[in-house]
């Protein structure tokens, strides 16, 4: 098995697109509203012109994708689902549905649901997977690109922001590569948890790196030669 160590200083990308090309594994049933909860639909928009920011490989949301919602900046992650993706002018829009405790006023949203760890006093802890697995026929792990949005009210229309850095890599003509590892200059960890503090509905969030692992990417069918792939890690902020 061939392995590659990849050393990179990544660039923070502050925008996200809206229709993921990886299909969800299963449907999500959110029809039952628990006692003391109320149904809620949240909407957001993403500038369509930023789609090419991820090395021209658009990370796009799909209906039925799972999303984590924290009511009033705390508590357990509530599971919502994407119910609509649409385009209006230069913007891509998304709607998510679920239920929240009655009386909740603000909402911190993490996509995908699997990336959400916790939220305390409005600071969301988000997980960047150390083991990123590229499905056959794909060039990135769709679970490795978490984004965060903040709603000052249920009527808000915020912009979701990427909270990871990413790098494009290509193994050239080399065949038989099964694993690639990413290190920031060999000294800074790139995978694990980061703490995200939203800056209102449209600002770029503050991110504190709490990572404790090196990112490893494997590919189900091997890393394809002469093909651009993506790997993510914690953003470098200094």
């Amino acid at each position: 098995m061939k392995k590659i160590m990849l050393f990179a200083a990544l660039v923070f990308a502050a925008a996200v697109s809206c229709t993921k090309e990886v299909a969800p594994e299963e449907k999500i049933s959110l029809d039952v509203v628990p006692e003391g909860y109320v149904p809620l639909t949240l909407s957001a928009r993403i500038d369509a012109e930023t789609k090419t920011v991820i090395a021209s490989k658009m990370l796009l949301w799909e209906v039925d994708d799972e999303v984590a919602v924290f009511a009033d900046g705390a508590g357990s992650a509530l599971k919502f689902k994407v119910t609509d993706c649409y385009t209006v002018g230069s913007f891509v829009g998304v709607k998510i549905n679920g239920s929240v405790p009655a009386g909740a006023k603000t909402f911190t949203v993490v996509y995908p649901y699997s990336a959400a760890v916790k939220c305390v006093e409005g600071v969301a802890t988000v997980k960047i997977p150390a083991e990123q697995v590229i499905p056959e026929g794909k060039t990135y792990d769709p679970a490795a690109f978490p984004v965060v949005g903040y709603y000052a009210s249920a009527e808000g229309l915020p912009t979701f922001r990427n909270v990871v850095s990413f790098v494009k890599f290509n193994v050239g003509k080399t065949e038989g590569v099964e694993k690639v590892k990413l290190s920031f200059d060999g000294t800074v960890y790139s995978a694990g948890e980061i703490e995200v503090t939203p800056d209102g509905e449209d600002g770029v969030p503050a991110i504190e790196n709490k990572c404790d692992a090196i990112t490893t990417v494997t590919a189900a069918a091997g890393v394809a030669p002469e093909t651009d792939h993506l790997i993510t890690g914690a953003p470098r902020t200094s």
Side-chain angles (χ1 to χ4, degrees), residues 125-231:
T125 300
V126 178
K127 178 176 62 179
I128 303 171
E131 296 290 332
Q132 299 179 15
V133 181
I134 300 175
E136 187 172 358
K138 307 299 179 184
T139 58
Y140 62 90
D141 181 351
F145 286 83
V147 299
V148 174
Y150 173 77
Y151 292 78
S153 71
E155 294 74 33
L157 195 65
T159 301
F160 280 92
R161 302 289 185 178
N162 284 331
V163 294
V164 295
S165 299
F166 57 88
V167 68
K168 179 173 65 175
F169 69 92
N170 191 315
V171 299
K173 296 181 180 296
T174 305
E175 296 184 356
V177 176
E178 296 181 9
K179 183 176 292 187
V180 175
K181 290 187 177 182
L182 172 67
S183 174
F184 291 98
D185 305 322
T187 60
V188 180
Y189 291 120
S190 56
E193 295 181 356
I194 58 175
E195 293 182 349
V196 181
T197 304
D199 179 16
E201 292 192 342
D202 292 309
V204 176
I207 298 174
E208 185 172 355
N209 185 356
K210 300 289 186 178
C211 291
D212 57 2
I214 297 296
T215 306
T216 299
V217 171
T218 57
V223 179
E226 299 187 90
T227 302
D228 291 338
H229 297 76
L230 297 176
I231 185 172

Side-chain angles (χ1 to χ4, degrees), residues 64-85:
D64 284 335
D65 280 355
E66 298 179 343
V67 185
V69 174
F70 294 96
D72 292 329
S76 301
L78 304 170
K79 186 177 291 186
F80 275 49
K81 69 175 180 180
V82 177
T83 55
D84 193 16
C85 281

Side-chain angles (χ1 to χ4, degrees), residues 11-89:
V11 179
F12 175 51
V16 67
S17 306
C18 173
T19 311
K20 188 163 59 55
E21 60 178 25
V22 178
E25 294 182 359
E26 60 181 354
K27 300 293 183 181
I28 308 160
S29 177
L30 298 173
D31 296 333
V32 178
V33 177
E35 184 177 355
Y37 282 60
V38 294
L40 178 67
T41 297
L42 297 173
S43 298
R45 62 182 187 178
I46 301 95
D47 188 342
E49 294 180 358
T50 65
K51 288 181 180 179
T52 58
V53 72
I54 305 180
S56 76
K57 190 68 177 181
M58 293 181 285
L59 299 184
L60 305 174
W61 297 29
E62 266 192 356
V63 169
D64 284 335
D65 280 355
E66 298 179 343
V67 185
V69 174
F70 294 96
D72 292 329
S76 301
L78 304 170
K79 186 177 291 186
F80 275 49
K81 69 175 180 180
V82 177
T83 55
D84 193 16
C85 281
Y86 54 92
T87 301
V88 179

